[in-house]
């Protein structure tokens, strides 16, 4: 099979494209003919060696996939040959990834694809959707009528947070850096869109919430300003952090505890299969009902995986601003 792979960590140029042996599913596993795979920042961190994980050699990167069941291994009852499936949590913790014509995955990390939803869309919603769901519902226990704030409303996770908040009857506030991105967010029903380059974000939040503050702050930035965040929170508000591995921000202890706030941190790949399946069930319903839409910024053939990694890094690490939405690759 054709695959993108690397044998040593480093820059995007370590990625090769060529023939590798097609994997055979073992007990509890499914072989998927990949229709689409999406790229996430974690994939670039692992490739660069910034996030240390066990890597088989050669290693196929990629966390997300959508495609069709080719064969099933012993003990698999949830899926049969020909089923359309999607999933995430590949390319992590020693598991081979999804940047290939075929990917072998444990059935516990796969979910049925809703009818009428293309592989490119469901692959683009995989890791980011599960991440958004875990933060909003497992951690913050978001309720209808509450207000959520997230930076980067057209980013991978940010776009999922905004739409999921609206899907359950909450209000959503987000930031963007352009008029075009603001229009996209408003089309999703975002209640307040602020341009972080030109608007006074704290003042906008205060005015929208009538001085009460937000109930859930979903932080996607690598270097969060927790002083500003705490000032924007409603009493008993919940703050979610899931980015910024090297960040050591100032923490305003006094106003944090006197406002009865809570702080949650999590990594998506630590969630159990049962927890992730619960997320996937909601994601499937919202995709099928068009309450959740995936913004695809660039599509690459699998043979250009190195270029895809380069574009992701330019925007994640260097803030190039040349990407709006997800990067999706097709074999």
């Amino acid at each position: 099979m054709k695959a993108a792979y690397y044998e040593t960590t480093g820059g995007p140029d370590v990625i090769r494209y060529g023939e590798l042996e097609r994997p055979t599913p073992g007990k509890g596993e499914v072989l998927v003919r990949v229709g689409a795979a999406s790229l996430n920042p974690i994939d670039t961190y692992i490739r660069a060696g910034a996030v240390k994980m066990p890597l088989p050699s050669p290693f196929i990167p990629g966390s997300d996939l959508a495609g069709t069941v080719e064969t099933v291994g012993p003990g698999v009852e949830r899926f049969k040959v020909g089923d359309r499936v999607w999933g995430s949590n590949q390319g992590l913790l020693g598991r081979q990834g999804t940047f290939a014509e075929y990917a072998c995955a444990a059935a516990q990390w796969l979910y049925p694809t809703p009818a009428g939803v293309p592989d490119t869309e469901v692959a683009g919603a995989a890791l980011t959707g599960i991440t958004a769901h875990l933060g909003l519902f497992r951690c913050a226990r978001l309720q209808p009528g509450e207000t959520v704030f997230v930076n980067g409303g057209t980013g991978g996770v940010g776009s999922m947070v905004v739409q999921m908040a609206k899907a359950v009857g909450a209000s959503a506030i987000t930031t963007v850096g352009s008029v075009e991105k603001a229009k996209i967010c408003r089309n999703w029903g975002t209640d307040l869109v602020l341009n972080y380059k030109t608007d006074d974000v704290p003042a906008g939040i205060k005015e929208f919430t009538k001085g009460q503050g937000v109930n859930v702050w979903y932080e996607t930035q690598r270097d969060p300003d927790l002083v500003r965040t705490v000032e924007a929170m409603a009493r008993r508000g919940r703050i979610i952090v899931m980015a910024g591995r090297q960040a050591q921000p100032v923490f305003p202890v006094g106003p944090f505890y006197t406002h009865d706030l809570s702080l949650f941190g999590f990594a998506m790949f630590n969630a159990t299969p049962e927890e992730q399946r619960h997320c996937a069930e909601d994601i499937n319903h919202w995709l099928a009902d068009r309450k959740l839409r995936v913004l695809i910024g660039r599509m690459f053939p699998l043979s250009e995986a190195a270029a895809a990694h380069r574009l992701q890094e330019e925007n994640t690490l260097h803030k190039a601003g040349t990407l709006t939405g997800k990067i999706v690759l097709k074999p």
Side-chain angles (χ1 to χ4, degrees), residues 38-278:
S38 65
L39 179 60
N40 296 283
I42 185 65
D43 303 322
T44 67
Y45 303 155
I46 293 171
R47 187 220 68 237
V51 173
K52 304 296 183 183
M53 287 197 182
L55 300 179
S57 183
F59 177 66
I60 301 170
S63 301
D64 299 340
L65 83 162
T68 305
V69 174
E70 185 79 4
T71 58
V72 298
V76 174
E77 298 180 354
R78 293 180 58 228
F79 301 108
K80 65 183 184 301
V81 173
D83 284 349
R84 294 182 63 224
V85 295
W86 67 275
S88 188
N89 233 37
Q90 305 307 307
L92 302 166
L93 304 172
R95 293 187 286 272
Q96 288 284 17
T98 61
F99 283 19
E101 290 181 313
Y102 294 89
C104 213
Q108 64 184 0
W109 301 122
L110 294 174
Y111 321 106
T113 299
V117 180
D119 286 345
T120 50
E121 187 167 345
V122 73
L127 183 145
T128 54
I130 292 172
T131 298
H133 195 287
L134 288 168
L136 286 177
F137 303 108
R138 188 193 68 176
C139 296
R141 300 187 182 277
L142 177 67
Q143 299 298 311
E146 292 190 314
T147 300
V148 176
F149 172 87
V150 62
N151 282 303
T154 58
V157 173
S159 63
M160 294 289 106
V161 169
V162 165
Q163 295 180 80
M164 288 181 183
K166 297 302 298 178
V168 300
S171 297
I173 304 171
T174 193
T175 58
V176 295
S178 71
V179 173
E180 293 76 19
K181 291 181 179 181
K183 183 178 180 181
I184 292 169
C185 288
R186 292 192 183 99
N187 286 340
W188 289 332
T190 311
D191 297 277
L192 177 63
V193 184
L194 298 166
N195 189 317
Y196 64 84
K197 297 178 180 178
T198 58
D199 293 331
D200 185 331
V201 174
I205 293 172
K206 185 175 182 179
E207 180 180 2
F208 180 84
T209 62
K210 297 180 171 56
Q212 297 303 302
V214 300
N215 304 105
V216 176
W217 183 290
Y218 201 117
E219 186 55 77
T220 60
Q221 302 300 296
R222 292 165 55 83
D223 294 295
D225 182 346
L226 292 178
V227 173
R228 184 185 74 161
T229 298
V230 168
E231 288 177 349
M233 299 302 296
R235 193 174 300 278
R236 297 195 178 182
R238 291 86 76 198
I239 303 167
I240 309 298
V241 292
M242 39 63 69
R245 287 172 176 264
Q246 306 304 317
Q248 297 187 5
V250 173
F251 189 82
V253 174
F256 178 83
Y257 80 80
T258 57
H259 281 74
D260 294 352
L261 302 182
S262 301
L263 177 66
F264 297 90
F266 76 97
M268 172 264 193
F269 53 78
N270 290 333
T272 66
E274 292 73 22
E275 289 172 328
Q276 296 200 34
R277 188 177 304 153
H278 175 65

